[in-house]
């Protein structure tokens, strides 16, 4: 097997599974892009098997500490193991679930989501993209879905030299369908919706914010299909406004409200930055504001711009929260650490002249497991603050 020799002190010796170009001492056996290669340390000791893409910043991603080929049997074993773990943690329905999540489940660049009897597959690395058919066969063996949809429109594919593609791999064409979460009905379009249909990582957090909504005016910024807004409405908010720039997402949000029998919620298609500015100029007040923006940065270089963007919306939101009201806020960029996020909020509170009390923390749902040696696997940080009355 062709492979690479890794320099001492590389991150792989500290538990990470990635090898960057600067960490490679030399390659041997002429590995080709997308190949399975073997990794060795400088004393020629084997470190395991990895997928290889010399055109990506991350040249190799280890998926086994042994000598291992990528075949349907192996894929099926990894999927089965990921499924069984999710079944064992109890509080998650594996019917509406991320069944397998990339590095965290030992298949770098493979994401498998189950929406009832359909499965959505993403292949985000070159090697896995070359093996789509084999992965689909393994999904069929282990999960027996009625159909498998390939949702390869995730922009991270660009870093691996892959272009966007959406198609049904096998089985029936998925019709838009509904799932019931608590007492909320959520519409899911596996072909046309954002991500693979829903923001699965947030599902557990929706009901948690409902307790802050009771009797209050609520503003849900970046509402998408209304996950937070609908739960706030069901939690007896006085009124709820959901804001998003996506017309299609809001159409689903409206249908969700109708299906859930909720009438105390309205939807607004707007840019949140402009909308918050406008509301602030009209001195509007809210008892609960939720901020769940998209990732403002895909790399470290634009981190400062991202922080500036986060700060602007936090500053405006904090100024509009009435005393005793609550701000619930999330970042989904792994480049923004919980600490950096908190520092930004602290700065915004200083400028807004508000004193805060931290009342809650939120995380990505357990079907997006965190590997502590791979910090990139922890990407969703959420915090709730009460704006305490002046003293
Ligand atoms: N809270 C949602 C997920 C939000 S994802 C949930 O739990 O389901 C981010 C959302 O922000 C997307 O729906 C996207 O359409 C929207 N968006 C991105 N930039 C925006 C902007 N500048 N103004 C308003 N909405 C924006």
């Amino acid at each position: 097997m062709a492979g690479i020799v890794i320099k001492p002190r590389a991150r792989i010796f500290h538990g990470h599974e990635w090898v960057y170009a600067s960490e490679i001492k030399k390659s041997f056996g002429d590995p080709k892009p997308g190949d399975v290669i073997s990794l060795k340390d400088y004393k020629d000791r084997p470190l395991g098997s990895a997928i290889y893409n010399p055109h990506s910043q991350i040249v190799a991603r280890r998926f086994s500490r042994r000598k291992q080929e990528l075949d349907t049997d192996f894929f099926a074993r990894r999927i089965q193991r990921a499924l069984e773990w999710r079944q064992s943690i109890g509080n998650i329905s594996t019917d509406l679930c991320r069944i397998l999540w990339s590095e965290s489940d030992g298949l770098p660049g493979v994401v498998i989501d189950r929406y009832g009897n359909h499965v959505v597959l993403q292949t985000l690395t070159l090697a896995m993209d070359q093996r789509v058919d084999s992965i689909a066969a393994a999904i069929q063996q282990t999960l027996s879905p009625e159909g498998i949809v390939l949702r390869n429109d995730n922009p991270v594919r660009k870093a691996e030299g892959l272009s966007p593609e959406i198609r049904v791999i096998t089985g029936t064409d998925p019709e838009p369908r509904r799932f019931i979460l608590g007492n909320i009905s959520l519409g899911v379009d596996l072909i046309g919706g954002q991500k693979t249909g829903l923001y699965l990582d947030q599902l557990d957090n929706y009901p948690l914010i409902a307790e802050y909504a009771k009797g209050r005016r609520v503003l849900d910024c970046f509402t998408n299909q209304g996950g937070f807004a609908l739960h706030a409405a069901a939690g007896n908010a006085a009124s709820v406004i959901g804001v998003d720039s996506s017309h299609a997402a809001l159409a689903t949000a409206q249908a969700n409200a109708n299906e859930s029998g909720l009438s105390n919620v309205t939807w607004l298609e707007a840019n949140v930055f402009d909308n918050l500015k406008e509301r602030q100029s009209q001195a509007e007040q809210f008892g609960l504001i939720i901020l769940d923006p998209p990732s403002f940065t895909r790399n470290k270089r634009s981190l400062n711009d991202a922080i500036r963007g986060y700060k602007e919306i936090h500053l405006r939101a904090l100024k509009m929260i009435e005393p005793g009201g609550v701000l619930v806020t999330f970042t989904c960029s792994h480049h923004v650490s919980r600490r950096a996020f908190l520092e930004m909020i602290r700065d915004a509170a200083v400028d807004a002249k508000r004193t805060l009390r931290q009342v809650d923390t939120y995380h990505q749902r357990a079907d997006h497991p965190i590997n502590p040696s791979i910090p990139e696997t922890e990407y969703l940080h959420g915090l709730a603050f009460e704006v305490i009355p002046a003293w």
Side-chain angles (χ1 to χ4, degrees), residues 7 49 109 135 138 145 183 216 237 259 303 313 334 388:
K7 288 181 188 168
S49 306
I135 299 169
N183 43 12
R216 287 176 163 155
E259 291 289 326
L303 187 59
I313 54 176
H334 72 78
I388 65 177

Side-chain angles (χ1 to χ4, degrees), residues 194 199 202 206 222-224 228 244-246 270-272 292 294:
Q194 292 185 15
Y199 284 83
Q202 284 284 28
Y206 298 149
F222 311 95
T223 191
N224 191 249
F228 287 110
D244 202 281
S245 56
S246 162
N271 180 329
V272 165
D292 184 22

Side-chain angles (χ1 to χ4, degrees), residues 194-195 198-203 206 220-229 243-247 249-250 268-275 290-296 330 332:
Q194 292 185 15
K195 296 273 177 168
L198 282 179
Y199 284 83
L200 295 172
D201 52 358
Q202 284 284 28
L203 290 187
Y206 298 149
D220 180 18
C221 300
F222 311 95
T223 191
N224 191 249
Q225 302 177 11
F228 287 110
V243 184
D244 202 281
S245 56
S246 162
H247 184 78
L250 291 177
L268 179 71
E269 186 179 334
N271 180 329
V272 165
F273 285 84
D274 301 337
N275 192 245
I290 298 149
L291 300 174
D292 184 22
S295 170
F296 289 150
F330 295 91
C332 61

Side-chain angles (χ1 to χ4, degrees), residues 130-199:
Q130 291 175 348
R131 293 166 177 82
V132 160
D133 291 341
S134 180
I135 299 169
I139 290 172
Q140 206 61 49
Q141 263 179 39
T142 48
L143 305 173
S144 321
E146 273 176 24
I148 304 174
V149 177
L150 188 66
R151 262 309 287 267
N152 271 342
D153 52 340
N154 190 324
V156 305
R157 278 168 55 90
K158 220 183 272 169
E160 291 269 319
L162 299 166
S163 45
E165 181 188 15
I166 300 180
R167 67 185 163 92
V168 175
I169 302 179
T170 57
T172 55
D173 229 326
E175 297 289 317
R177 71 224 25 226
R178 302 213 140 260
F179 287 89
I180 304 294
L181 196 70
N183 43 12
I184 304 295
S185 166
L186 295 175
V188 179
D189 179 352
L190 302 183
I191 303 274
Q194 292 185 15
K195 296 273 177 168
T196 60
L198 282 179
Y199 284 83

Side-chain angles (χ1 to χ4, degrees), residues 174-324:
E175 297 289 317
R177 71 224 25 226
R178 302 213 140 260
F179 287 89
I180 304 294
L181 196 70
N183 43 12
I184 304 295
S185 166
L186 295 175
V188 179
D189 179 352
L190 302 183
I191 303 274
Q194 292 185 15
K195 296 273 177 168
T196 60
L198 282 179
Y199 284 83
L200 295 172
D201 52 358
Q202 284 284 28
L203 290 187
D204 284 357
N205 294 327
Y206 298 149
L208 300 179
I209 61 93
E211 62 184 285
Y212 297 125
K214 194 165 183 236
R216 287 176 163 155
R217 288 193 72 211
V218 178
L219 181 65
D220 180 18
C221 300
F222 311 95
T223 191
N224 191 249
Q225 302 177 11
F228 287 110
L230 294 163
H231 281 77
N236 293 321
S239 66
V240 183
I241 305 169
V243 184
D244 202 281
S245 56
S246 162
H247 184 78
L250 291 177
T252 308
Q254 178 63 58
N256 290 344
N258 296 345
E259 291 289 326
S260 310
L262 296 166
S263 55
N264 53 342
V265 49
T266 56
W267 311 102
L268 179 71
E269 186 179 334
N271 180 329
V272 165
F273 285 84
D274 301 337
N275 192 245
L276 285 178
K277 191 172 173 185
E278 202 179 307
R279 290 182 191 282
Q280 196 196 337
S281 73
Q282 286 162 15
E284 287 194 40
Q285 290 278 289
F286 293 92
L288 170 64
I289 298 184
I290 298 149
L291 300 174
D292 184 22
S295 170
F296 289 150
T297 171
R298 294 201 187 283
N299 53 53
K300 276 201 179 120
R301 263 173 291 129
S302 59
L303 187 59
N304 284 342
D305 288 343
I307 295 282
R308 220 169 297 129
Y310 280 119
K311 189 176 163 193
E312 178 180 335
I313 54 176
H314 283 77
L315 176 57
R316 294 194 194 285
L318 284 172
K319 283 192 169 168
M320 284 192 281
I321 293 178
E322 61 204 17

